[in-house]
């Protein structure tokens, strides 16, 4: 039973899904910003829908279909991608789609959206690049990296808004704990790989926002 629960958690908080959950949260959390133009909550509803659509296309559908295709032709043996060698191409694919998403957003909107919207895809691009390099030496947990990314995103959101609820940040911490526990229970990673992933995810989005 515990194994089934841990596997279910791993799929619900799949690394492709978690940044998208974060996007949905920041688009819908009632909050105020010192600058009206930078307040995510007040983005027009039609534009929010367009943002969600393009994020789902480049962040979920395109990489998801790519992974299924790789499995079908035998490039990867499982969607879990437990083999570090097999992870190289899927991680590269996410990196490319994330950069394309960033470029498309920047080109189509001419940089007028709140900064935090652009930070999501470019941070994922950087994160995947770092994981790609580290993958030669250790199997960094992409699950905990995405959980750390979510916490980092919520922290950036709170640090850039003057009024906001605390529950999204608390949810990010809770999700992190659940993901940590499930991945360790399934023996997918060592504690070092889990912690490294989380630190990378949270640190990269925070640092990217600061220097963007």
């Amino acid at each position: 039973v515990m194994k089934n629960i841990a596997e279910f958690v791993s799929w619900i908080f799949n690394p492709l899904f978690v940044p998208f959950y974060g996007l949905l949260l920041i688009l819908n959390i009632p909050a105020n910003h010192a600058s009206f133009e930078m307040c995510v909550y007040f983005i027009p509803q039609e534009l929010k829908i367009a943002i969600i659509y393009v994020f789902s296309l480049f962040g979920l559908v395109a990489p998801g279909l790519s992974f299924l295709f790789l499995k079908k032709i035998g490039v990867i043996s499982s969607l879990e991608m437990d083999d570090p060698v097999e992870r190289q191409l899927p991680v590269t694919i996410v990196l490319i789609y994330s950069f394309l998403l960033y470029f498309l957003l920047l080109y189509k909107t001419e940089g007028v959206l709140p900064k935090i919207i652009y930070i999501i895809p470019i941070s994922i691009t950087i994160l995947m690049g770092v994981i790609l390099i580290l993958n030669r030496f250790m199997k960094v947990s992409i699950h905990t990296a995405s959980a750390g990314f979510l916490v980092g995103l919520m922290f950036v959101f709170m640090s850039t808004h003057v009024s906001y609820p605390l529950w999204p940040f608390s949810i990010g911490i809770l999700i992190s704990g659940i993901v940590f526990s499930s991945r360790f229970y399934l023996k997918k990673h060592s504690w070092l790989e889990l912690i490294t992933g989380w630190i990378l995810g949270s640190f990269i989005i925070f640092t990217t926002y600061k220097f963007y």
Side-chain angles (χ1 to χ4, degrees):
V1 176
M2 287 301 297
K3 182 180 178 182
N4 290 336
I5 293 174
E7 289 176 343
F8 177 73
V9 166
S10 292
W11 279 107
I12 290 295
F13 299 115
N14 183 285
L16 291 181
F17 300 159
V18 175
F20 189 71
Y21 296 157
L23 174 70
L24 294 179
L25 279 173
I26 66 171
L27 286 176
N28 293 286
I29 297 172
N32 292 313
H33 193 285
S35 170
F36 180 82
E37 292 79 11
M38 290 295 102
C39 187
V40 183
Y41 185 66
F42 292 111
I43 294 176
Q45 191 62 30
E46 297 80 9
L47 187 51
K48 283 185 179 182
I49 293 172
I51 292 170
I52 291 171
Y53 173 78
V54 72
F55 265 84
S56 63
L57 182 61
F58 283 86
L60 295 175
V61 178
L65 290 176
S66 298
F67 296 165
L68 289 172
F69 178 72
L70 291 179
K71 186 175 184 300
K72 183 178 178 61
I73 63 175
V75 174
I76 57 175
S77 57
S78 166
L79 293 177
E80 283 285 314
M81 301 170 213
D82 291 326
D83 185 345
V85 176
E86 290 188 0
R87 300 170 100 209
Q88 294 287 96
L89 184 54
V91 170
T92 303
I93 287 172
V94 173
L95 185 155
I96 292 170
Y97 280 129
S98 297
F99 182 74
L100 288 175
L101 172 58
Y102 168 73
F103 181 79
L104 180 64
L105 283 171
L106 201 62
Y107 176 74
K108 288 294 185 180
T109 63
E110 299 180 346
V112 300
L113 292 176
K115 179 178 169 181
I116 196 170
I117 299 296
Y118 302 106
I119 289 303
I120 296 175
I122 196 62
S123 295
I124 294 174
T125 303
I126 296 170
L127 177 59
M128 291 300 105
V130 173
I131 288 176
L132 203 57
I133 294 170
L134 291 179
N135 193 56
R136 299 183 179 185
F137 312 102
M138 63 188 300
K139 197 178 77 167
V140 175
S141 172
I142 303 177
H143 275 82
T144 56
S146 66
F149 185 91
L150 178 62
V151 172
L153 178 62
M154 293 302 105
F155 183 80
V156 166
F157 179 83
M158 291 192 305
S159 66
T160 55
H161 286 71
V162 294
S163 64
Y164 46 80
L166 290 174
W167 62 262
F169 183 76
S170 301
I171 285 179
I173 296 295
L174 179 62
I175 289 174
S176 293
I178 293 172
V179 171
F180 259 89
S181 301
S182 65
R183 301 306 287 173
F184 188 71
Y185 181 84
L186 292 171
K187 299 180 180 178
K188 297 293 185 179
H189 300 278
S190 67
W191 276 112
L192 178 61
E193 292 167 342
L194 293 168
I195 293 170
T196 301
W198 195 92
I199 291 174
L200 282 175
S202 55
F203 177 78
I204 285 175
I205 187 168
F206 177 77
T207 307
T208 304
Y209 188 89
K210 186 173 182 179
F211 293 101
Y212 183 80

